[in-house]
PDB file of all heavy atoms in Angstrom:
ATOM      1  N   SER A 115     -34.774 -30.267 -22.419  1.00 98.00           N
ATOM      2  CA  SER A 115     -35.798 -31.017 -21.601  1.00 98.00           C
ATOM      3  C   SER A 115     -35.440 -32.496 -21.609  1.00 98.00           C
ATOM      4  O   SER A 115     -34.656 -32.947 -22.450  1.00 98.00           O
ATOM      5  CB  SER A 115     -37.202 -30.828 -22.152  1.00 98.00           C
ATOM      6  OG  SER A 115     -37.359 -31.494 -23.392  1.00 98.00           O
ATOM      7  N   GLY A 116     -36.019 -33.220 -20.694  1.00 98.00           N
ATOM      8  CA  GLY A 116     -35.886 -34.670 -20.704  1.00 98.00           C
ATOM      9  C   GLY A 116     -36.577 -35.200 -21.936  1.00 98.00           C
ATOM     10  O   GLY A 116     -36.096 -36.261 -22.473  1.00 98.00           O
ATOM     11  N   THR A 117     -37.630 -34.609 -22.392  1.00 98.00           N
ATOM     12  CA  THR A 117     -38.311 -35.054 -23.595  1.00 98.00           C
ATOM     13  C   THR A 117     -37.409 -34.942 -24.807  1.00 98.00           C
ATOM     14  O   THR A 117     -37.322 -35.870 -25.597  1.00 98.00           O
ATOM     15  CB  THR A 117     -39.599 -34.161 -23.805  1.00 98.00           C
ATOM     16  OG1 THR A 117     -40.400 -34.222 -22.640  1.00 98.00           O
ATOM     17  CG2 THR A 117     -40.375 -34.630 -25.049  1.00 98.00           C
ATOM     18  N   LEU A 120     -34.939 -37.761 -24.710  1.00 98.00           N
ATOM     19  CA  LEU A 120     -35.538 -39.016 -25.182  1.00 98.00           C
ATOM     20  C   LEU A 120     -35.630 -39.017 -26.710  1.00 98.00           C
ATOM     21  O   LEU A 120     -35.329 -40.001 -27.380  1.00 98.00           O
ATOM     22  CB  LEU A 120     -36.900 -39.202 -24.601  1.00 98.00           C
ATOM     23  CG  LEU A 120     -36.896 -39.733 -23.161  1.00 98.00           C
ATOM     24  CD1 LEU A 120     -38.294 -39.458 -22.448  1.00 98.00           C
ATOM     25  CD2 LEU A 120     -36.532 -41.228 -23.085  1.00 98.00           C
ATOM     26  N   THR A 141     -45.923 -44.309 -16.957  1.00 98.00           N
ATOM     27  CA  THR A 141     -44.866 -43.271 -17.103  1.00 98.00           C
ATOM     28  C   THR A 141     -45.467 -41.984 -17.633  1.00 98.00           C
ATOM     29  O   THR A 141     -46.639 -41.974 -18.048  1.00 98.00           O
ATOM     30  CB  THR A 141     -43.786 -43.824 -18.083  1.00 98.00           C
ATOM     31  OG1 THR A 141     -42.708 -42.856 -18.136  1.00 98.00           O
ATOM     32  CG2 THR A 141     -44.293 -44.028 -19.493  1.00 98.00           C
ATOM     33  N   PHE A 142     -44.624 -40.989 -17.657  1.00 98.00           N
ATOM     34  CA  PHE A 142     -44.998 -39.737 -18.310  1.00 98.00           C
ATOM     35  C   PHE A 142     -44.976 -40.012 -19.805  1.00 98.00           C
ATOM     36  O   PHE A 142     -44.114 -40.780 -20.321  1.00 98.00           O
ATOM     37  CB  PHE A 142     -43.969 -38.651 -17.921  1.00 98.00           C
ATOM     38  CG  PHE A 142     -44.394 -37.302 -18.414  1.00 98.00           C
ATOM     39  CD1 PHE A 142     -45.564 -36.683 -17.988  1.00 98.00           C
ATOM     40  CD2 PHE A 142     -43.589 -36.606 -19.279  1.00 98.00           C
ATOM     41  CE1 PHE A 142     -45.930 -35.429 -18.434  1.00 98.00           C
ATOM     42  CE2 PHE A 142     -43.932 -35.340 -19.804  1.00 98.00           C
ATOM     43  CZ  PHE A 142     -45.147 -34.768 -19.312  1.00 98.00           C
ATOM     44  N   ALA A 144     -43.895 -38.769 -22.363  1.00 98.00           N
ATOM     45  CA  ALA A 144     -42.686 -38.536 -23.191  1.00 98.00           C
ATOM     46  C   ALA A 144     -41.939 -39.820 -23.469  1.00 98.00           C
ATOM     47  O   ALA A 144     -41.316 -39.953 -24.516  1.00 98.00           O
ATOM     48  CB  ALA A 144     -41.791 -37.548 -22.472  1.00 98.00           C
ATOM     49  N   SER A 145     -42.047 -40.807 -22.536  1.00 98.00           N
ATOM     50  CA  SER A 145     -41.315 -42.111 -22.716  1.00 98.00           C
ATOM     51  C   SER A 145     -41.796 -42.819 -23.938  1.00 98.00           C
ATOM     52  O   SER A 145     -41.036 -43.651 -24.502  1.00 98.00           O
ATOM     53  CB  SER A 145     -41.493 -43.001 -21.527  1.00 98.00           C
ATOM     54  OG  SER A 145     -41.360 -42.293 -20.326  1.00 98.00           O
ATOM     55  N   VAL A 187     -38.117 -47.207 -17.870  1.00 98.00           N
ATOM     56  CA  VAL A 187     -38.225 -46.061 -17.035  1.00 98.00           C
ATOM     57  C   VAL A 187     -37.954 -46.487 -15.542  1.00 98.00           C
ATOM     58  O   VAL A 187     -38.562 -47.450 -15.053  1.00 98.00           O
ATOM     59  CB  VAL A 187     -39.679 -45.467 -17.077  1.00 98.00           C
ATOM     60  CG1 VAL A 187     -39.834 -44.287 -16.155  1.00 98.00           C
ATOM     61  CG2 VAL A 187     -39.984 -45.111 -18.518  1.00 98.00           C
ATOM     62  N   ASP A 213     -34.867 -44.427 -19.422  1.00 98.00           N
ATOM     63  CA  ASP A 213     -35.459 -43.140 -19.141  1.00 98.00           C
ATOM     64  C   ASP A 213     -35.267 -42.979 -17.633  1.00 98.00           C
ATOM     65  O   ASP A 213     -36.105 -43.458 -16.796  1.00 98.00           O
ATOM     66  CB  ASP A 213     -36.921 -43.138 -19.500  1.00 98.00           C
ATOM     67  CG  ASP A 213     -37.639 -41.844 -19.136  1.00 98.00           C
ATOM     68  OD1 ASP A 213     -37.074 -41.055 -18.417  1.00 98.00           O
ATOM     69  OD2 ASP A 213     -38.758 -41.601 -19.596  1.00 98.00           O
ATOM     70  N   ALA A 215     -35.388 -40.179 -15.989  1.00 98.00           N
ATOM     71  CA  ALA A 215     -35.850 -38.843 -15.609  1.00 98.00           C
ATOM     72  C   ALA A 215     -36.048 -38.714 -14.099  1.00 98.00           C
ATOM     73  O   ALA A 215     -35.866 -37.628 -13.523  1.00 98.00           O
ATOM     74  CB  ALA A 215     -37.175 -38.568 -16.331  1.00 98.00           C
ATOM     75  N   HIS A 216     -36.372 -39.825 -13.460  1.00 98.00           N
ATOM     76  CA  HIS A 216     -36.566 -39.870 -12.000  1.00 98.00           C
ATOM     77  C   HIS A 216     -35.300 -40.286 -11.223  1.00 98.00           C
ATOM     78  O   HIS A 216     -35.364 -40.400 -10.035  1.00 98.00           O
ATOM     79  CB  HIS A 216     -37.617 -40.895 -11.614  1.00 98.00           C
ATOM     80  CG  HIS A 216     -38.995 -40.630 -12.188  1.00 98.00           C
ATOM     81  ND1 HIS A 216     -40.061 -41.393 -11.887  1.00 98.00           N
ATOM     82  CD2 HIS A 216     -39.443 -39.662 -13.006  1.00 98.00           C
ATOM     83  CE1 HIS A 216     -41.176 -40.943 -12.516  1.00 98.00           C
ATOM     84  NE2 HIS A 216     -40.767 -39.874 -13.196  1.00 98.00           N
ATOM     85  N   SER A 237     -34.020 -35.824 -16.713  1.00 98.00           N
ATOM     86  CA  SER A 237     -34.803 -34.603 -16.769  1.00 98.00           C
ATOM     87  C   SER A 237     -34.427 -33.746 -15.606  1.00 98.00           C
ATOM     88  O   SER A 237     -34.178 -34.223 -14.508  1.00 98.00           O
ATOM     89  CB  SER A 237     -36.299 -34.935 -16.691  1.00 98.00           C
ATOM     90  OG  SER A 237     -37.045 -33.804 -16.358  1.00 98.00           O
ATOM     91  N   PHE A 238     -34.426 -32.408 -15.871  1.00 98.00           N
ATOM     92  CA  PHE A 238     -34.084 -31.475 -14.788  1.00 98.00           C
ATOM     93  C   PHE A 238     -35.221 -30.492 -14.534  1.00 98.00           C
ATOM     94  O   PHE A 238     -35.016 -29.325 -14.226  1.00 98.00           O
ATOM     95  CB  PHE A 238     -32.770 -30.773 -15.119  1.00 98.00           C
ATOM     96  CG  PHE A 238     -31.613 -31.723 -15.359  1.00 98.00           C
ATOM     97  CD1 PHE A 238     -31.016 -31.816 -16.586  1.00 98.00           C
ATOM     98  CD2 PHE A 238     -31.201 -32.573 -14.339  1.00 98.00           C
ATOM     99  CE1 PHE A 238     -29.975 -32.744 -16.808  1.00 98.00           C
ATOM    100  CE2 PHE A 238     -30.184 -33.508 -14.535  1.00 98.00           C
ATOM    101  CZ  PHE A 238     -29.561 -33.552 -15.767  1.00 98.00           C
ATOM    102  N   HIS A 239     -36.457 -30.988 -14.733  1.00 97.00           N
ATOM    103  CA  HIS A 239     -37.665 -30.199 -14.386  1.00 97.00           C
ATOM    104  C   HIS A 239     -37.627 -29.913 -12.884  1.00 97.00           C
ATOM    105  O   HIS A 239     -37.014 -30.699 -12.105  1.00 97.00           O
ATOM    106  CB  HIS A 239     -38.837 -31.110 -14.799  1.00 97.00           C
ATOM    107  CG  HIS A 239     -40.157 -30.543 -14.447  1.00 97.00           C
ATOM    108  ND1 HIS A 239     -40.757 -30.773 -13.192  1.00 97.00           N
ATOM    109  CD2 HIS A 239     -41.038 -29.806 -15.126  1.00 97.00           C
ATOM    110  CE1 HIS A 239     -41.927 -30.165 -13.130  1.00 97.00           C
ATOM    111  NE2 HIS A 239     -42.123 -29.555 -14.333  1.00 97.00           N
ATOM    112  N   LYS A 242     -37.717 -32.579 -10.123  1.00 96.00           N
ATOM    113  CA  LYS A 242     -36.715 -33.653 -10.144  1.00 96.00           C
ATOM    114  C   LYS A 242     -35.646 -33.409  -9.087  1.00 96.00           C
ATOM    115  O   LYS A 242     -35.643 -32.403  -8.416  1.00 96.00           O
ATOM    116  CB  LYS A 242     -36.122 -33.769 -11.550  1.00 96.00           C
ATOM    117  CG  LYS A 242     -37.163 -34.039 -12.625  1.00 96.00           C
ATOM    118  CD  LYS A 242     -37.910 -35.330 -12.370  1.00 96.00           C
ATOM    119  CE  LYS A 242     -38.737 -35.832 -13.558  1.00 96.00           C
ATOM    120  NZ  LYS A 242     -39.726 -34.906 -14.183  1.00 96.00           N
ATOM    121  N   GLU A 248     -35.942 -25.821 -16.695  1.00 98.00           N
ATOM    122  CA  GLU A 248     -36.251 -26.928 -17.629  1.00 98.00           C
ATOM    123  C   GLU A 248     -34.913 -27.416 -18.201  1.00 98.00           C
ATOM    124  O   GLU A 248     -33.994 -26.645 -18.416  1.00 98.00           O
ATOM    125  CB  GLU A 248     -37.093 -26.418 -18.817  1.00 98.00           C
ATOM    126  CG  GLU A 248     -38.506 -25.975 -18.511  1.00 98.00           C
ATOM    127  CD  GLU A 248     -39.525 -27.143 -18.342  1.00 98.00           C
ATOM    128  OE1 GLU A 248     -39.124 -28.325 -18.488  1.00 98.00           O
ATOM    129  OE2 GLU A 248     -40.664 -26.785 -18.046  1.00 98.00           O
ATOM    130  N   GLY A 249     -34.810 -28.710 -18.446  1.00 98.00           N
ATOM    131  CA  GLY A 249     -33.577 -29.212 -19.001  1.00 98.00           C
ATOM    132  C   GLY A 249     -33.518 -30.743 -19.016  1.00 98.00           C
ATOM    133  O   GLY A 249     -34.362 -31.372 -18.360  1.00 98.00           O
ATOM    134  N   TYR A 390     -48.776 -42.816 -12.756  1.00 97.00           N
ATOM    135  CA  TYR A 390     -49.257 -41.946 -13.847  1.00 97.00           C
ATOM    136  C   TYR A 390     -50.553 -42.503 -14.347  1.00 97.00           C
ATOM    137  O   TYR A 390     -50.811 -43.721 -14.215  1.00 97.00           O
ATOM    138  CB  TYR A 390     -48.265 -41.949 -15.022  1.00 97.00           C
ATOM    139  CG  TYR A 390     -46.994 -41.217 -14.724  1.00 97.00           C
ATOM    140  CD1 TYR A 390     -45.911 -41.944 -14.261  1.00 97.00           C
ATOM    141  CD2 TYR A 390     -46.879 -39.843 -14.917  1.00 97.00           C
ATOM    142  CE1 TYR A 390     -44.711 -41.302 -13.939  1.00 97.00           C
ATOM    143  CE2 TYR A 390     -45.681 -39.235 -14.651  1.00 97.00           C
ATOM    144  CZ  TYR A 390     -44.587 -39.910 -14.166  1.00 97.00           C
ATOM    145  OH  TYR A 390     -43.421 -39.306 -13.885  1.00 97.00           O
TER     146      TYR A 390
HETATM  147  C1  PLP B 755     -40.437 -40.641 -16.671  1.00 72.07           C
HETATM  148  C2  PLP B 755     -40.316 -39.330 -17.362  1.00 72.07           C
HETATM  149  N1  PLP B 755     -39.794 -39.331 -18.572  1.00 72.07           N
HETATM  150  C3  PLP B 755     -39.627 -38.181 -19.287  1.00 72.07           C
HETATM  151  C4  PLP B 755     -39.985 -36.966 -18.749  1.00 72.07           C
HETATM  152  C5  PLP B 755     -39.866 -35.732 -19.554  1.00 72.07           C
HETATM  153  O1  PLP B 755     -38.977 -34.778 -18.978  1.00 72.07           O
HETATM  154  P1  PLP B 755     -39.174 -33.244 -19.241  1.00 72.07           P
HETATM  155  O2  PLP B 755     -40.369 -32.768 -18.500  1.00 72.07           O
HETATM  156  O3  PLP B 755     -37.877 -32.630 -18.736  1.00 72.07           O
HETATM  157  O4  PLP B 755     -39.336 -33.038 -20.700  1.00 72.07           O
HETATM  158  C6  PLP B 755     -40.512 -36.921 -17.416  1.00 72.07           C
HETATM  159  C7  PLP B 755     -40.869 -35.633 -16.866  1.00 72.07           C
HETATM  160  O5  PLP B 755     -41.683 -35.495 -15.997  1.00 72.07           O
HETATM  161  C8  PLP B 755     -40.684 -38.142 -16.756  1.00 72.07           C
HETATM  162  O6  PLP B 755     -41.203 -38.135 -15.506  1.00 72.07           O
END
Side-chain angles (χ1 to χ4, degrees):
S115 68
T117 305
L120 282 161
T141 185
F142 187 61
S145 317
V187 178
D213 178 347
H216 298 183
S237 162
F238 304 116
H239 176 274
K242 302 300 192 308
E248 292 279 0
Y390 290 93

